[in-house]
């Protein structure tokens, strides 16, 4: 008998401030698929305590029960948003490990992998999370095989980057379980024409994100984005591109309105701010990770950019989401 990727019953564990789009993009394909398959998908919404759970908009969603009410599950998806580890507990860990021992496929939507990784359930597994928290996840769980793909399905684990990527993941699973004709019919109902595979990148093309359309400038920014930590010297970058440093400066000034150094500094500061908001890493560690020569220098340039100190940015009034800045 064929082993299904999505085996019944399917649980969705909702953590406070979860993203509704990730949840609905995963559930709706199952509901629609039930029109065309004999063995209907059965799914349950769960919360840790069985009480309604607020999503990121403050909308409270009624659930079917608590961890103890779930019973045996064929699949479980952890659905969360930023800083899901706030809701991690020894009780949740024991429950997840019991499901894993029973052969349950463990999955995540958006940032749910943080919970599975903290529980020690992602060793030697390839997973993905939303692009906004990729750096935070790498710093927190360096041993996990992390990708920037839309979704990953392998070895009893499933993960999607959230948003509409949850729909792509479910369509792919439907195709594996019931054939492409069923997946195509579900996609048609969802008005989802372009079926994306897991290896597709999460983010929109760089020219659309940054406003940079000059081909050499696009190559320069792509190279900078691939650089972790220290800033890339203008001379080294220009040499890689086969142009002069002066020409590279002109391209940035003309199309981006600032120098390569200023653009890179702003990018590193945004990365640092993301790590401050999304992790509990020490501020000194964050400054070193983002390529600043000292915590004092980091604090000075950070305050100049954002109007507050690094420590204030991770306080109780710190924003949950980052402000886009054409990166």
């Amino acid at each position: 008998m064929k082993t299904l990727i999505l085996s019944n019953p399917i649980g969705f564990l909702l953590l406070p401030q979860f993203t509704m789009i990730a949840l609905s993009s995963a559930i709706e394909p199952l509901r629609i698929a039930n029109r065309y398959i004999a063995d209907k998908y059965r799914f349950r919404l769960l919360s840790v305590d069985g009480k309604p759970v607020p999503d990121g908009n403050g909308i409270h969603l009624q659930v079917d029960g608590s961890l103890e009410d779930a019973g045996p599950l064929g699949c479980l998806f952890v659905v969360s948003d930023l800083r899901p580890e706030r809701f991690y507990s020894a009780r949740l860990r024991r429950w997840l490990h019991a499901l894993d021992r029973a052969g349950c496929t463990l999955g995540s939507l958006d940032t749910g992998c943080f919970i599975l990784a903290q529980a020690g359930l992602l060793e030697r597994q390839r997973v993905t999370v939303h692009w906004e928290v990729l750096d935070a996840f790498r710093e927190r769980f360096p041993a996990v095989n992390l990708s920037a793909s839309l979704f990953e399905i392998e070895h009893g684990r499933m993960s999607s980057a959230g948003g509409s990527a949850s729909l792509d993941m479910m369509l792919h699973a439907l195709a594996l379980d019931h054939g492409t004709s069923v997946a195509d019919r579900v996609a048609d109902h969802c008005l989802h024409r372009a079926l994306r595979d897991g290896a597709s990148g999460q983010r929109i093309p760089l020219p659309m994100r940054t406003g940079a359309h000059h081909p050499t400038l696009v190559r320069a920014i792509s190279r900078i984005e691939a650089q972790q930590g220290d800033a890339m010297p203008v001379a080294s970058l220009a040499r890689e591109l086969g142009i002069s440093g002066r020409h590279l400066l002109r391209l940035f000034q003309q199309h981006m309105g600032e120098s390569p150094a200023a653009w890179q500094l702003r990018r590193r500061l945004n990365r640092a701010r993301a790590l401050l908001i999304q992790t509990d890493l020490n501020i000194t560690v964050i400054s070193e990770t983002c390529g600043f020569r000292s915590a004092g220098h980091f604090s000075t340039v950070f305050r100049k950019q954002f109007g507050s100190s690094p420590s204030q940015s991770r306080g109780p009034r710190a924003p949950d989401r980052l402000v886009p800045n054409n990166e």
Side-chain angles (χ1 to χ4, degrees):
M1 183 176 181
K2 179 182 177 182
T3 301
L4 299 178
I5 301 295
L6 297 169
S7 55
N8 283 319
I10 302 170
F12 292 89
L13 175 63
L14 310 183
L15 297 182
Q17 286 80 58
F18 71 94
T19 50
M20 186 69 78
I21 185 173
L23 176 65
S24 59
S25 293
I27 287 181
E28 282 300 289
L30 302 179
R31 179 187 67 81
I32 297 168
N34 282 344
R35 301 183 184 186
Y36 308 116
I37 59 177
D39 189 10
K40 309 297 185 186
Y41 287 116
R42 294 176 283 112
F43 50 86
R44 307 187 70 197
L45 300 182
L46 305 167
S47 67
V48 172
D49 56 9
K51 297 179 181 179
V53 186
D55 74 348
N57 296 305
I59 301 172
H60 284 71
L61 196 62
Q62 187 69 45
V63 298
D64 299 303
S66 67
L67 304 184
E68 289 73 21
D69 298 325
L73 296 173
C75 293
L76 173 77
F77 292 94
V78 180
V79 193
S80 58
D81 194 13
L82 291 184
R83 295 179 292 177
E85 294 167 285
R86 292 173 291 169
F87 310 106
Y88 181 80
S89 65
R91 173 183 167 219
L92 178 55
R93 182 184 188 279
R94 290 192 297 269
W95 183 70
L96 290 171
H97 275 266
L99 290 176
D100 186 49
R101 288 193 298 270
C104 175
T105 293
L106 298 178
S108 66
L109 309 181
D110 205 322
T111 64
C113 276
F114 279 83
I115 294 294
L116 298 180
Q118 187 163 359
L121 291 165
L122 294 182
E123 294 180 5
R124 297 182 297 278
Q125 300 286 345
R126 183 176 174 85
V127 299
T128 189
V129 293
H130 191 280
W131 63 262
E132 192 177 51
V133 295
L134 281 169
D135 281 344
F137 190 94
R138 286 194 185 101
E139 294 297 329
R140 181 68 177 81
F141 305 105
V144 176
N145 185 7
L146 183 66
S147 80
S149 58
L150 285 177
F151 62 86
E152 296 287 347
I153 300 176
E154 63 170 28
H155 309 307
R157 300 290 185 267
M158 300 177 66
S159 56
S160 90
S164 61
S166 299
L167 173 58
D168 292 292
M169 180 177 71
M170 288 304 192
L171 290 173
H172 185 74
L174 287 173
L176 293 174
D177 284 349
H178 301 286
T180 55
S181 62
V182 170
D184 287 343
R185 293 177 80 176
V186 173
D188 198 27
H189 272 280
C190 295
L191 307 181
H192 194 65
R193 296 181 181 178
L195 300 184
R196 301 177 293 179
D197 62 29
S200 299
Q202 295 182 26
R203 307 199 66 183
I204 62 176
L206 190 148
M208 295 176 64
R209 280 193 285 119
T210 64
H213 296 278
H214 191 287
T216 302
L217 182 59
V218 169
R219 286 171 55 213
I221 293 176
S222 296
R223 179 63 184 86
I224 291 172
E225 289 194 341
Q227 176 85 1
Q228 297 291 330
D230 294 342
M232 193 168 190
V234 173
S236 299
L237 180 57
R239 188 162 49 249
E240 282 193 22
L241 298 171
I243 61 176
S244 69
R246 183 173 297 180
H247 183 44
L248 182 60
L249 284 168
R250 282 200 301 267
L251 285 175
F252 265 87
Q253 290 289 359
Q254 180 179 350
H255 297 278
M256 307 303 292
E258 58 188 343
S259 69
W263 194 90
Q264 290 189 78
L265 174 61
R266 192 158 48 85
R267 180 176 181 275
R268 289 189 295 135
L269 285 170
N270 261 346
R271 183 182 178 219
R273 187 165 180 255
L275 292 175
L276 287 165
I277 293 171
Q278 297 159 1
T279 75
D280 294 324
L281 289 172
N282 181 278
I283 290 177
T284 300
V285 172
I286 290 175
S287 68
E288 292 173 353
T289 298
C290 296
F292 293 95
R293 63 178 180 266
S294 70
H297 172 64
F298 168 57
S299 181
T300 298
V301 294
F302 189 95
R303 185 183 292 275
K304 182 177 180 181
Q305 175 71 30
F306 298 115
S308 61
S309 69
S311 59
Q312 289 171 329
S313 292
R314 65 176 7 161
R317 295 186 178 182
D320 278 343
R321 284 289 181 186
L322 302 180
V323 178
N325 75 330
N326 293 329
E327 284 195 15

